[in-house]
Amino acid sequence: MVVLREGICPGLNQDLVQALRNLDIRTVEDLVSANLEELAQKCTVSYKALIAVRRVLLAQHAAFPVSCADLYEELLSSTAILSTGNHCLDKLLDSGLYTGEITELIGGPGSGKTQVCFSTAVHISCQLKQSVVYIDTNGGLSANRLLQMLQAKTSTMEEQMAALQRIQVFKVFDVFSLLKCLQNIRIGEVETACVGTSVKALILDSVSAVLSNMLGGKQTEGMSLMMQVAGELKTISKDLSVAVLVTNHATRDGSGQLKAGLGQSWSHVPRTRVLLQRVERPGASSGLRLATLTKSSRQSCRVEEEFDLGGWRGPEDMKAGYSGKRKLECDTPGVD
Amino acid sequence: MHRTIASLPLAPSVKTKLTSAGFDTCADLKDLRPLQLCKEAGISQEEALEVLQTLRSDDGVGGVNPLGGAGAVRCGVTALQLLQREHALGDIITFCSALDSALGGGVPVGKTTEVCGAPGVGKTQLCVQLAVCVQIPVCVGGQGGQALYVDTEGSFLVQRAADLAQAAVEHCTLLAHDHEQQAALKDFTVENILSRLWLVRCHDYVELLAHCYLLPDFLTKHPEVQLVVIDSIAFPFRHDFEDFSQRTRLLNGLAQQLIQLATEHSVAVVLTNQMTTKVWNGQSKLVPALGWHLFINHPVRWRLRYLTASLRMVFGIWLLPPPQAPPPPQAPPPQCHRVSGPG
């Protein structure tokens, strides 16, 4: 609902606004749906002026249809696929994180979601040399761990420091601060320390930490806030061409199967969902994890891959998974 | 100014009235006076004042601490700055070298740590020891801070704390070998240690929640406090609670508050938890109480196991690998260290 105010369009001056308000027309919707002949008779404004104002307001506030061909062209030029750095995960995700989409990682405590987020952030900032925004809601981010992972990838101090500078960290602990942070990112008011690189990924760890205590019981606002967060994430991913990676906790449903937390409404928000679990085999190393694709619009689900958190491989192992789509790789444009 | 009204931290009824009056973003409310807002939205004067105050504080780049408050959200920190900050914050050492090496240096400041174990294994003992160790002067290797002890079980004994303080004083006196350290240790007496240990007794979960709401003000007034111990977090929530989903919500909210406290005020928060038996697939095992997803994202969880009368085993259940040691892929899952009690 947009309130009618002086100056929102030419021809709408203070007298007209006041006259309309006296007739109980307060918002743009009221004006657009009112009968302009009656209005022109009741107040002193001419019918022509009202028609002109309505036309301008409609043009300003209406959504424009776009043809599919234009949309496809835009998609081809703006979508990029960011590898996570682990070829097993990339296989599950159809070669990586897609910009313009939300990918979700679910799992119980200790299943490795934060580690995967770290590895992805480190890979994107070090190998792909792009900026990453990391929103930490539960205090799990440790810069020492990021440095450790960087030291395994590159041995020069300058590259490590440069990669660390490309990761922008926000620490928010409640849903209102999270919404404020996301809205600032969407508007573009966030000061990025690194000029010359664009933000290509946004990692939110975890979304359930701030939302789970707002849902349920006699609280009326929880769902609304959850959907606002979803809306902001989707707008950011589409408008800024950013790949969004979100972590969520896992709960058990009636039959004992693991499913994503935060309920049914949230489960429709991410495009792709991967479940991480520990592998409890005798003789298995402590870093071994099982990743299962549980929701995807591009690949068949229930595919499983085992990988080790400690052995995050470098780019030489990723060539095997090249899929022909445009892939963001170390300054070389992909072949289509 | 672009922030939507629906995302502001205001009462839902006020927000509904504002949006039905046609206000959509904060820019719409920018130049209004309280009386005007009152009339247009149909809210009371106090509510209108509160709305405008929230707007003003929201927009102002307030907050001295760039990790919290309104200022944080506008300009985050880079990972490099975070690394420098982490190096500046130390760890709280326990003066027991086996334990310190198991923990990767000590209790991390700025994070929450959970200690769980069966009854009688020594969780309270460990917490009181930490509350004494945090006060050890900086030149001898400690943090030189104060401690806040929130006791919910009534298990804090002043006499025991005095004994531990005495042992710490004797230990540090033996360590000091130059004038600077000896001068610093003159101030390190049993009376001073006990006077810098703040004790709060909470009898039920309402008192505990209320106290945690007041903790930020307390920590702002006493910036020397570097350790907050809550012993135990499980006790007030485990009995007399019929609504389990409400319990989970309250605990999640409490967890977020404590993590925010630890980050914004640079304190170490230590929580003790009890154990419960989980029956799964025909087997039973001891697991930490209060549910699987309580504190789902604690960076550190330690489990103490009883060995003999004076020996305990510490299992570091790392949700994140310890900061100092690189994660070896072939290491066995828990890092077990034999630890003998102090004194």
Side-chain angles (χ1 to χ4, degrees):
Chain A
M1 285 216 284
V2 183
V3 173
L4 280 173
R5 200 169 284 121
E6 172 192 3
I8 60 173
C9 88
L12 198 65
N13 52 14
Q14 188 59 32
D15 301 330
L16 180 55
V17 171
Q18 198 52 50
L20 288 173
R21 222 173 257 197
N22 293 340
L23 295 170
D24 213 19
I25 306 274
R26 293 174 170 281
T27 65
V28 171
E29 288 87 342
D30 295 337
L31 179 59
V32 158
S33 47
N35 187 340
L36 292 186
E37 281 185 25
E38 277 182 35
L39 273 188
Q41 283 165 6
K42 283 189 205 160
C43 69
T44 56
V45 188
S46 74
Y47 181 66
K48 253 185 169 178
L50 282 175
I51 290 277
V53 164
R54 188 169 82 168
R55 189 176 306 134
V56 174
L57 284 176
L58 277 177
Q60 273 180 352
H61 294 275
F64 288 110
V66 179
S67 85
C68 252
D70 293 336
L71 205 59
Y72 184 61
E73 287 301 319
E74 198 195 312
L75 211 64
L76 277 186
S77 62
S78 66
T79 307
I81 308 175
L82 304 168
S83 161
T84 57
N86 178 316
H87 72 275
C88 299
L89 261 189
D90 283 347
K91 240 192 284 180
L92 278 187
L93 296 172
D94 193 23
S95 57
L97 299 172
Y98 279 62
T99 59
E101 285 182 15
I102 302 180
T103 311
E104 188 182 38
L105 283 176
I106 60 172
S111 55
K113 312 183 286 292
T114 307
Q115 290 301 297
V116 172
C117 290
F118 285 174
S119 315
T120 309
V122 156
H123 179 82
I124 294 175
S125 90
C126 178
Q127 235 73 38
L128 304 177
K129 305 226 186 318
Q130 302 292 328
S131 293
V132 178
V133 168
Y134 195 109
I135 305 181
D136 178 33
T137 64
N138 50 34
L141 178 69
S142 157
N144 273 309
R145 180 71 182 128
L146 290 176
L147 181 65
Q148 237 174 48
M149 290 178 155
L150 278 171
Q151 282 165 344
K153 280 190 182 296
T154 156
S155 47
T156 49
M157 178 83 94
E158 293 86 32
E159 277 184 44
Q160 290 163 11
M161 298 299 127
L164 280 179
Q165 279 197 309
R166 283 190 278 263
I167 303 177
Q168 188 102 359
V169 174
F170 291 88
K171 293 205 176 208
V172 291
F173 303 102
D174 62 278
V175 67
F176 300 107
S177 318
L178 175 63
L179 278 170
K180 180 170 179 175
C181 180
L182 290 175
Q183 283 171 358
N184 280 339
I185 294 173
R186 174 169 55 88
I187 299 290
E189 271 189 22
V190 155
E191 302 157 10
T192 38
C194 232
V195 188
T197 56
S198 52
V199 174
K200 271 278 164 255
L202 181 130
I203 302 182
L204 174 53
D205 177 29
S206 74
V207 73
S208 54
V210 290
L211 281 174
S212 51
N213 59 322
M214 304 294 288
L215 296 168
K218 299 211 188 79
Q219 297 173 105
T220 48
E221 255 211 309
M223 298 287 282
S224 150
L225 291 168
M226 185 168 80
M227 285 300 130
Q228 285 181 54
V229 170
E232 293 292 340
L233 287 173
K234 284 194 170 168
T235 315
I236 289 174
S237 71
K238 277 269 174 304
D239 288 352
L240 304 179
S241 275
V242 160
V244 175
L245 179 63
V246 159
T247 61
N248 194 357
H249 70 277
T251 55
R252 290 196 188 270
D253 62 13
S255 57
Q257 295 296 313
L258 282 173
K259 62 169 189 174
L262 295 181
Q264 281 262 15
S265 313
W266 179 264
S267 68
H268 297 289
V269 171
R271 181 73 76 87
T272 316
R273 183 174 298 121
V274 172
L275 166 66
L276 290 176
Q277 286 168 289
R278 278 180 180 261
V279 175
E280 302 281 356
R281 265 200 316 263
S285 89
S286 64
L288 205 62
R289 297 290 184 272
L290 182 70
T292 314
L293 188 67
T294 54
K295 179 181 180 189
S296 170
S297 50
R298 279 180 287 269
Q299 289 183 291
S300 51
C301 291
R302 310 246 180 276
V303 178
E304 289 178 350
E305 290 279 341
E306 247 183 42
F307 65 98
D308 197 313
L309 284 178
W312 214 253
R313 307 252 158 61
E316 46 286 346
D317 288 330
M318 278 159 19
K319 293 204 175 89
Y322 200 93
S323 73
K325 300 191 189 83
R326 229 196 96 196
K327 209 169 166 185
L328 202 65
E329 245 188 65
C330 318
D331 306 329
T332 51
V335 174
D336 205 331
Chain B
M1 276 299 126
H2 47 267
R3 197 166 168 190
T4 56
I5 302 251
S7 67
L8 287 175
L10 296 167
S13 53
V14 171
K15 284 200 271 197
T16 323
K17 290 191 194 153
L18 286 174
T19 41
S20 50
F23 298 107
D24 199 30
T25 65
C26 294
D28 297 341
L29 289 176
K30 197 172 45 154
D31 296 318
L32 284 182
R33 317 244 62 159
L35 273 177
Q36 274 176 300
L37 184 57
C38 224
K39 258 187 285 186
E40 295 215 18
I43 52 181
S44 75
Q45 202 157 357
E46 292 88 17
E47 286 168 344
L49 272 171
E50 194 196 330
V51 169
L52 292 171
Q53 243 169 357
T54 313
L55 269 184
R56 235 166 271 139
S57 69
D58 196 57
D59 206 42
V61 185
V64 177
N65 188 344
L67 274 182
V73 191
R74 192 165 295 266
C75 51
V77 289
T78 62
L80 188 60
Q81 289 167 330
L82 208 61
L83 184 68
Q84 289 156 353
R85 218 169 273 165
E86 277 181 22
H87 280 159
L89 293 173
D91 284 336
I92 300 178
I93 51 175
T94 61
F95 263 64
C96 170
S97 56
L99 191 58
D100 282 338
S101 63
L103 306 174
V107 177
V109 172
K111 302 233 182 266
T112 53
T113 306
E114 183 188 336
V115 180
C116 50
V121 77
K123 309 184 288 290
T124 304
Q125 167 92 344
L126 182 63
C127 290
V128 181
Q129 180 72 51
L130 283 171
V132 168
C133 283
V134 73
Q135 303 186 35
I136 292 172
V138 177
C139 53
V140 192
Q143 293 285 104
Q146 300 183 5
L148 172 69
Y149 197 102
V150 179
D151 182 17
T152 60
E153 290 179 334
S155 52
F156 182 86
L157 295 171
V158 183
Q159 192 50 49
R160 187 61 185 147
D163 291 341
L164 290 175
Q166 182 64 34
V169 169
E170 283 165 11
H171 184 84
C172 288
T173 320
L174 288 173
L175 282 181
H177 40 252
D178 63 29
H179 287 298
E180 192 197 331
Q181 288 176 341
Q182 281 163 1
L185 282 176
K186 280 203 185 70
D187 190 37
F188 192 60
T189 62
V190 175
E191 289 79 25
N192 282 345
I193 294 176
L194 292 179
S195 70
R196 287 184 217 133
L197 178 61
W198 303 87
L199 180 66
V200 175
R201 176 85 172 93
C202 293
H203 298 87
D204 59 23
Y205 75 93
V206 177
E207 285 187 31
L208 179 61
L209 288 173
H211 190 74
C212 290
Y213 267 108
L214 299 175
L215 270 181
D217 293 332
F218 178 85
L219 291 177
T220 316
K221 263 189 263 169
H222 298 94
E224 323 79 32
V225 172
Q226 294 198 14
L227 173 70
V228 174
V229 176
I230 302 187
D231 178 27
S232 68
I233 197 98
F235 182 72
F237 286 100
R238 283 187 85 189
H239 62 89
D240 275 352
F241 231 111
E242 285 119 19
D243 187 355
F244 281 115
S245 62
Q246 188 195 25
R247 185 180 89 168
T248 310
R249 274 197 304 279
L250 287 176
L251 283 169
N252 283 333
L254 187 59
Q256 286 302 109
Q257 274 176 13
L258 291 173
I259 292 168
Q260 185 171 9
L261 207 73
T263 312
E264 288 180 6
H265 293 93
S266 298
V267 296
V269 176
V270 175
L271 309 158
T272 55
N273 197 1
Q274 296 167 348
M275 303 295 276
T276 183
T277 313
K278 181 171 165 182
V279 181
W280 181 256
N281 278 346
Q283 299 167 342
S284 73
K285 57 177 185 170
L286 279 182
V287 295
L290 292 178
W292 185 43
H293 49 259
L294 166 66
F295 302 132
I296 47 180
N297 294 301
H298 262 336
V300 184
R301 176 181 272 174
W302 317 338
R303 182 174 155 192
L304 303 183
R305 249 180 71 185
Y306 189 82
L307 274 189
T308 69
S310 62
L311 282 187
R312 298 288 184 271
M313 214 184 242
V314 168
F315 286 84
I317 303 170
W318 299 101
L319 296 187
L320 291 182
Q324 263 77 9
Q330 289 86 25
Q335 288 177 28
C336 312
H337 289 260
R338 283 168 180 260
V339 171
S340 63

